[in-house]
Every structure is written in C-alpha cells, then in structure tokens.
Amino acid sequence: MLSREQQGLNWLLQWFDPRGRSIGGLAFILNRITALGLVLYLYLHLYYLRQLTMGPQVWNAFIDSAENSPWIGIGELFVIAGGLIHGLNGLRIALNSFNIAVPYQKQLFYGLFTLALIGIAFFAVHMFGA
Amino acid sequence: MSDEKWTVTFIIHRQKGPDSQPHFDEFTIEIHPEEFVLDGVEYIWAYKDRSLVFRHACHHTTCGACGMRVNGVEKLACMTKIADVTQDGGKIKLEPLRNFPIVGDLVVDLGPLYRKMHEVHAPEVIPLCASPWEGEGIKPPQETPKREDGEEYIRLPDCIECGLCVSACPTAASDAEYLGPAVLAAIHIQGIDENPDLLALADSREGVWRCHSAYECSAVCPSNVDPAWRIMDLRKQIIARRLKFKK
C-alpha cells in the first residue's frame, strides 16, 4: 500500500524485526535469515573454489589451513543449521501452499524446528565430539 | 465491575501529517483494568490533549475504524482490554497501522485498501452458505436454512476492512502493488470459478504467489476471516487448474 520510497527502511525492518510477531512471522524471519546465510555461503564457497585454478600447491595450502582452523568447522555447522532450518521450514510452506495442514502451521513449525535442532545437535556432536 | 483503578502510562505516537517528524507523548491516567484501550484514548483526548487524532465509531468490533498497534501488535482498540496488554503501573505504547500513509497521530489513510477491495468488487453481503459458523473455523456450513420464498439468506461478510492484516503483513511492507490479505480473502469468498476476472487477479504476480506465508494476517484478524487459509486455498485451486484437475 506504501511504496518502498515512502516506507524508507521500514519495509526492511518489518522483514527482520521479531517484536510482536506470531510463530508464523518468526518462521518467516528465520527463513529470510537462513536464506541470506546460505546465499553468503554459496558466494564464499565459489570464492574459495577459485583457488583450484591457481594450481595444486595453492589449493593444498588452503585445505591445510582450513583443516587447522576451528572457524571453518563452526561455519560448516552454521551452513548445516541454515540448510536444515530453511529446508524443513520450506517443506512446511510447500505443504501449506497446497492447503495441507494450514490450521496446524504452528504445530508443523514446532515439529520441524525441533527436527532441525536434533539434526544440528547430531552434526555438532559428530563434528566436534570426542 | 469493581472500583479498582490502575495507573497506566500511554505512550502515543504523534505526527501532524505525513511529512512532519513523528515523536511520542506520554499520558499517565487512572483506568479500570477491565476497560478497553479505546476508553483510555478517549479519556486522554477528553481530559489531557484535545489535539490527539484518532478514529473510532462503533465501540464493538463492527466498524474496524479503531485499528492501531498496541504494544507493537495490530489490534482493534475497542476490544483490547487494558488488563490484557499491561499491568498496574505499566505502559501501553500506541502506534498507527503500518504500510498505510499517515493522516495524523494514530490515524492512517485506508483508501488504498478500500480501492483494492472495490477493484475486486468485494461484496457488501454474502449468501449464508458462503459464511462460516461462529466458532467452527471458516468451513462453510453443511446445511443452510432456506427462506420460505426459496431465496437464500444473506449476511454481512466477516471482513470489516480494518486494515490490521495489511499492517501486519511483511510482504505488504515491501510491495505496494501486492493485493494483500483482505483483498485476496474477498476474492476467495466470491469464488474464482464464478469470477474469471478475479481468477486472473489472484493468479498474478501481485496475487497469491506474492504471499510469503508469514501468517501474520490471520494472527491479527479480529473477525474470523483467516485470510492466510483463504490465500492457501486459492493457491490450491489455481494449482489444480494448472494441472488440469479442474477446468
């Protein structure tokens, strides 16, 4: 009803501000954040893959440094978390778009988000466990 | 009702016209916890500041004029109890609806919504068979009584065009052309089978496909319209048509 010019930055704030939002709105915000995170990961992935074109020495040196950096592991866990949350929430939206379980969209979100948390915990233990 | 009074501070958005700088004014009043937010606003207007701009008419959820954000959530002020949104000694923040041009203080211009509702010829009355029974969700009733003359009973539609759904919708915030929850619900209730022009509108870039499924419209709807369910049902009907399940 108001154009983006009239809204200023309000439209962006409304996309990410969790205050006063219901479960559906919070799921919407989570989907946007995870989507942006996954897009950022994709670009970082492509950026680092370009080192393949610089020869085996450069690539091997990069892999060695990555293996020794805890940040890479944490980043990978974020990617897994983003993929699970975004993917499972996407499943909920896809079902709802066929008018399946729309009155239960909150319960679906709770169930699928719990599933995502279990998945994240599994991978965290697998990646960082003793 | 007891004589109990709470001390409540109303923090009210003030803005004289769309181009002036907004600010907030605080008014502390004594009010019964069972009274409504609109009662507090009227008290402030009557005894504290006669320049306060707000809108209301019916005081009982029928007109949809007093829509505003109460503590950040879209509500009709006439049906929002003080006790439900604050406590004794607490605060209530009042802001105008989002995604509409500001007229002043707590009033927005709902004209864009009314024009879109007019575009889809939103009905003033609907047949009883298209109506939800109170308390039973929005499924049409199995059997509807007939009048003696064989005609069908009619009733007012549930949507009171208050604009709360548009204000709460994050998609409406970023796309001025999006038809929005109320308009799509108006299309749904009329039926796309019977109205090919409405089908074209619903099955368009700014129709059901623009919705990003935040479900905020249904969360704030004060009138049992459940626009989100109606948008999803429109999607299902349109997908069925595309897959040729339905002509």
Side-chain angles (χ1 to χ4, degrees), chain B:
Chain B
M1 192 183 278
S2 70
D3 293 333
E4 180 189 11
K5 291 276 186 185
W6 284 6
T7 303
V8 174
T9 300
F10 283 70
I11 305 167
I12 301 181
H13 175 273
R14 307 301 300 270
Q15 188 175 353
K16 297 302 172 200
D19 299 323
S20 64
Q21 279 298 312
H23 66 280
F24 286 89
D25 282 343
E26 294 193 8
F27 303 93
T28 301
I29 63 169
E30 303 288 312
I31 191 165
H32 194 285
E34 291 296 308
E35 282 187 276
F36 296 88
V37 169
L38 184 57
D39 297 323
V41 174
E42 286 186 311
Y43 182 91
I44 290 164
W45 172 78
Y47 296 104
K48 302 271 189 178
D49 186 345
R50 297 285 282 188
S51 72
L52 179 61
V53 181
F54 65 106
R55 182 167 51 201
H56 75 88
C58 74
H59 272 263
H60 58 250
T61 334
T62 303
C63 70
C66 64
M68 59 183 76
R69 281 189 293 149
V70 181
N71 292 340
V73 182
E74 285 75 8
K75 306 260 189 200
L76 290 183
C78 70
M79 62 180 286
T80 305
K81 275 188 187 173
I82 297 293
D84 290 340
V85 290
T86 190
Q87 57 196 358
D88 191 11
K91 295 178 177 179
I92 296 176
K93 190 175 186 181
L94 301 182
E95 296 165 276
L97 295 181
R98 295 179 274 208
N99 307 333
F100 291 104
I102 298 271
V103 174
D105 294 344
L106 297 172
V107 176
V108 295
D109 177 8
L110 289 171
L113 171 64
Y114 298 151
R115 281 190 286 278
K116 282 183 180 172
M117 293 296 270
H118 183 70
E119 260 177 57
V120 300
H121 36 89
E124 291 167 0
V125 290
I126 55 173
L128 197 57
C129 66
S131 310
W133 289 128
E134 291 293 332
E136 290 187 11
I138 60 171
K139 289 179 182 169
Q142 296 292 316
E143 292 177 17
T144 50
K146 293 281 182 197
R147 289 185 351 205
E148 283 179 7
D149 58 9
E151 294 294 315
E152 195 166 18
Y153 284 109
I154 54 174
R155 57 161 285 185
L156 294 166
D158 286 308
C159 182
I160 54 176
E161 300 181 15
C162 59
L164 264 60
C165 56
V166 175
S167 174
C169 175
T171 307
S174 57
D175 186 352
E177 301 305 315
Y178 174 46
L179 289 177
V183 175
L184 290 168
I187 290 176
H188 180 268
I189 205 160
Q190 294 173 87
I192 52 175
D193 288 339
E194 300 81 3
N195 301 278
D197 56 326
L198 297 184
L199 168 63
L201 270 175
D203 188 12
S204 69
R205 182 179 157 171
E206 303 300 344
V208 293
W209 310 113
R210 180 61 76 206
C211 168
H212 286 294
S213 312
Y215 299 103
E216 291 291 348
C217 52
S218 289
V220 301
C221 177
S223 198
N224 196 35
V225 176
D226 201 350
W229 179 87
R230 294 187 184 279
I231 291 169
M232 295 306 152
D233 196 55
L234 278 174
R235 278 185 180 173
K236 182 180 123 183
Q237 292 181 39
I238 291 167
I239 290 168
R241 281 172 174 273
R242 287 189 179 181
L243 296 176
K244 309 286 185 195
F245 294 154
K246 206 171 178 182
K247 285 186 181 175

Side-chain angles (χ1 to χ4, degrees), chain A residues 1-4 7 11 14-15 20-22 24-25 28 32 92-93 96-99 102-103 105, chain B residues 73 98-101 112 166 168 170 173-174 176 212-216 219 229 232-233 235-236 239:
Chain A
M1 306 287 169
L2 277 180
S3 67
R4 282 197 186 181
Q7 289 268 24
W11 70 270
Q14 286 189 52
W15 271 39
R21 291 299 189 193
S22 65
F28 169 89
R32 257 104 213 111
R92 162 178 163 269
I93 299 300
N96 286 175
S97 290
F98 288 95
N99 198 12
V102 176
Q105 58 90 9
Chain B
V73 182
R98 295 179 274 208
N99 307 333
F100 291 104
V166 175
S174 57
H212 286 294
S213 312
Y215 299 103
E216 291 291 348
W229 179 87
M232 295 306 152
D233 196 55
R235 278 185 180 173
K236 182 180 123 183
I239 290 168

